[in-house]
Amino acid sequence: MAQHIQGTEDLFGGYMRAWQHMQDVARDLFGAYGFDMIETPAIEQVSTFVHGIGESTDVVRKEMFRVFSGALMERLLQSGSESSLKAKQRLALRPEGTAGVVRAAVENNLVPQGGAPVKVWYAEAMFRGERPQKGRLRQFHQVGVEWLGASDPASDAECIIMLMEFYRRVGFDPSKLTLRINSMGDANCRPAYRQKVRQFILDHKDEMCEDCLERAEINPLRSFDCKNDHCRQVMAGAPLVTDNLCDDCREHYAKVKQYLDEAGISYIEDPTLVRGLDYYMRTVFEVEVEGSGVGAIGGGGRYDGLMELEGGKPTPGLGFAVGFERMYLALQELGVDLAGQEPPCVYVACTPEERDEVFSATLALRQAGVRAEADYQGRSLKSQFKQADKHHACLCVVLGPDEVAAGKATLRDMSTHEQVQVPLSELVNQVCERVSQKH
Ligand code: AMP
């Protein structure tokens, strides 16, 4: 039997309804903030992600799924090296949404000089070659937003406020959520700070793991996030970014906090919060669910240098992404049912002789917007009623020989079992009225 790949999931039934519900909440809420939907290709040139996410990140170095056509793969196996490939032949599945959106904005000139900012949101599958475990998949789904062209700290605060409102509308009790924020500085102050952290790691090199020693040279700030507990204990003594911000960054950060305070959003300032992707600067944030073992359910930040890295004009930008699967797990633990019920359905039951009448009645109901089911397996009336229950039908339409001869249909209320007869000419109206009364 064919099997799914470990770290991937099939989305159907209640799980699929939950994913769709999350997208509905996003569409309503993000729409009110002026965000339009975007979809970029699932495959991009490797360079798009390398520029955007950073050469030194785990995502780019270890977790990106590379894509080759069969013909290209053969050539590669023969030559034994990737160096013969042109840039446009070096492809990867997207591990996150921002780099592709920024590439699309540059290519389509979505943020013309002096033009209004562009605000987009997406709901897409992402792919990372991570070791599968609870809440960590190789194909997972994110809802995310990108806001390009805005530098005002009010936009940072609005993004965070919108994110927290998203969690509330999806079903989280805000008091169970922990929002951590930090400022990572900018091109002015971060290089000197990076240097200080590098020096700190080198001064403690006997106590740090191999990975951290490598990080000291390529991305020392990532050591704050080392999986090794001892490294993190040592890093607790490292210089903090918030003590090393330039005046502009300090002012920007103070304004963001002021707006969050005004909006009544509670947060924890965490000067060791460094997000996994290289492009972040100034504001960064992450959200966790208290007591749930699934890790962060979302995060984001500002990435003012990214448009330039992708070949565009200097343009500020910020955004966030939330992970569907982790949110679903966390909500389940909190006893929130996101799957909901199947939409209301009407079952049209018949005997074989009345097949033609049932065919046209079912069609007419569907055209009027009613979710209608019928039997296509020649079942007895009794088992059709059982099927109607399985479909959670609220109403059954019975078209038997007596009904058809009299030009009528029987409507059976599936919860009260009450039955009434209505003229066939009024069937659609009568069904619509009863369905809308039920919901
Ligand atoms: P990131 O792009 O790494 O900031 O991730 C944003 C959100 O996506 C995280 O907070 C998680 O909720 C989710 N996420 C990231 N990686 C995975 C993964 N491998 N499996 C499931 N969800 C993930």
Side-chain angles (χ1 to χ4, degrees):
M1 192 177 65
Q3 283 188 327
H4 73 287
I5 302 167
Q6 227 200 339
T8 65
E9 290 181 334
D10 301 309
L11 265 62
F12 58 90
Y15 202 25
M16 187 54 165
R17 281 199 297 281
W19 172 224
Q20 287 178 325
H21 175 66
M22 240 175 233
Q23 294 179 54
D24 291 343
V25 171
R27 189 171 296 107
D28 276 0
L29 175 65
F30 302 166
Y33 277 79
F35 287 78
D36 289 325
M37 201 172 189
I38 191 170
E39 183 165 329
T40 60
I43 44 176
E44 296 269 356
Q45 287 187 30
V46 164
S47 56
T48 300
F49 301 120
V50 171
H51 293 154
I53 300 171
E55 192 102 49
S56 67
T57 57
D58 281 354
V59 171
V60 162
R61 289 168 74 211
K62 302 180 198 157
E63 296 166 3
M64 216 157 51
F65 281 113
R66 304 290 306 276
V67 180
F68 301 98
S69 69
L72 209 55
M73 196 66 175
E74 256 175 43
R75 236 177 70 196
L76 264 182
L77 289 172
Q78 273 162 14
S79 73
S81 147
E82 217 194 315
S83 56
S84 61
L85 296 188
K86 299 187 185 93
K88 65 180 180 197
Q89 292 173 318
R90 296 153 70 96
L91 309 178
L93 284 174
R94 65 172 166 240
E96 55 90 61
T98 307
V101 169
V102 169
R103 192 267 314 138
V106 172
E107 208 173 330
N108 299 293
N109 195 25
L110 296 183
V111 201
Q113 203 99 55
V118 66
K119 298 161 96 171
V120 290
W121 74 277
Y122 57 81
E124 291 169 346
M126 305 295 164
F127 308 85
R128 293 185 195 172
E130 299 194 83
R131 202 155 57 84
Q133 51 187 287
K134 185 183 170 197
R136 192 171 294 281
L137 296 159
R138 299 187 137 195
Q139 176 173 345
F140 58 98
H141 296 82
Q142 284 184 342
V143 168
V145 308
E146 312 297 345
W147 185 346
L148 304 171
S151 56
D152 196 295
S155 56
D156 305 53
E158 281 188 20
C159 250
I160 296 174
I161 293 164
M162 187 169 84
L163 173 64
M164 299 315 282
E165 175 63 10
F166 175 76
Y167 290 126
R168 197 189 64 78
R169 290 198 191 181
V170 158
F172 283 103
D173 171 352
S175 70
K176 297 266 183 312
L177 299 177
T178 308
L179 164 68
R180 291 185 301 135
I181 64 169
N182 188 22
S183 173
M184 290 181 66
D186 65 3
N188 248 336
C189 51
R190 192 149 77 198
Y193 173 64
R194 252 175 89 115
Q195 192 53 32
K196 276 193 190 176
V197 178
R198 175 180 170 271
Q199 195 52 54
F200 177 88
I201 297 172
L202 296 180
D203 290 346
H204 295 78
K205 66 170 183 277
D206 297 340
E207 301 165 73
M208 309 287 286
C209 72
E210 284 293 315
D211 277 351
C212 280
L213 296 185
E214 203 184 319
R215 285 182 188 122
E217 298 311 326
I218 50 178
N219 194 348
L221 305 195
R222 302 286 311 137
S223 292
F224 283 111
D225 249 3
C226 184
K227 294 194 174 77
N228 187 320
D229 287 343
H230 185 67
C231 291
R232 284 208 311 279
Q233 275 163 24
V234 176
M235 288 304 287
L240 293 177
V241 66
T242 27
D243 298 331
N244 287 275
L245 295 176
C246 60
D247 289 346
D248 285 350
C249 283
R250 198 173 313 114
E251 227 168 84
H252 190 276
Y253 189 37
K255 268 298 199 196
V256 174
K257 289 185 283 182
Q258 178 199 316
Y259 290 135
L260 290 179
D261 292 338
E262 276 174 32
I265 302 284
S266 29
Y267 54 84
I268 293 173
E269 284 185 69
D270 179 355
T272 68
L273 175 66
V274 288
R275 303 262 305 139
L277 316 181
D278 271 2
Y279 53 58
Y280 287 111
M281 54 173 286
R282 290 198 170 166
T283 318
V284 287
F285 47 93
E286 223 162 62
V287 180
E288 279 177 30
V289 187
E290 224 172 76
S292 96
V294 299
I297 56 165
R302 178 167 280 287
Y303 47 76
D304 291 352
L306 187 54
M307 283 284 273
E308 253 176 303
L309 285 174
E310 297 286 6
K313 301 182 196 87
T315 310
L318 72 161
F320 64 71
V322 298
F324 159 66
E325 288 81 359
R326 284 201 201 165
M327 275 197 285
Y328 187 84
L329 280 173
L331 282 167
Q332 264 191 329
E333 280 172 18
L334 294 170
V336 179
D337 171 29
L338 210 58
Q341 287 295 322
E342 272 179 46
C345 149
V346 169
Y347 195 93
V348 190
C350 74
T351 47
E353 294 71 34
E354 281 66 46
R355 193 83 200 77
D356 295 355
E357 283 77 7
V358 167
F359 180 82
S360 40
T362 315
L363 215 61
L365 287 171
R366 288 173 182 157
Q367 275 169 348
V370 175
R371 185 181 164 108
E373 266 304 336
D375 171 56
Y376 301 92
Q377 292 157 300
R379 292 170 197 263
S380 68
L381 262 183
K382 196 171 157 206
S383 81
Q384 287 185 54
F385 286 140
K386 278 194 190 148
Q387 278 297 308
D389 274 334
K390 271 198 187 145
H391 283 290
H392 304 293
C394 57
L395 205 65
C396 216
V397 178
V398 186
L399 283 169
D402 296 346
E403 282 90 350
V404 172
K408 295 194 167 168
T410 300
L411 302 187
R412 179 184 169 89
D413 186 312
M414 294 302 280
S415 45
T416 63
H417 296 157
E418 267 172 53
Q419 298 200 158
V420 287
Q421 286 210 325
V422 298
L424 268 181
S425 57
E426 279 180 37
L427 177 66
V428 172
N429 281 345
Q430 290 279 341
V431 168
C432 288
E433 204 173 290
R434 278 154 214 267
V435 170
S436 67
Q437 276 168 9
K438 288 217 166 259
H439 295 277

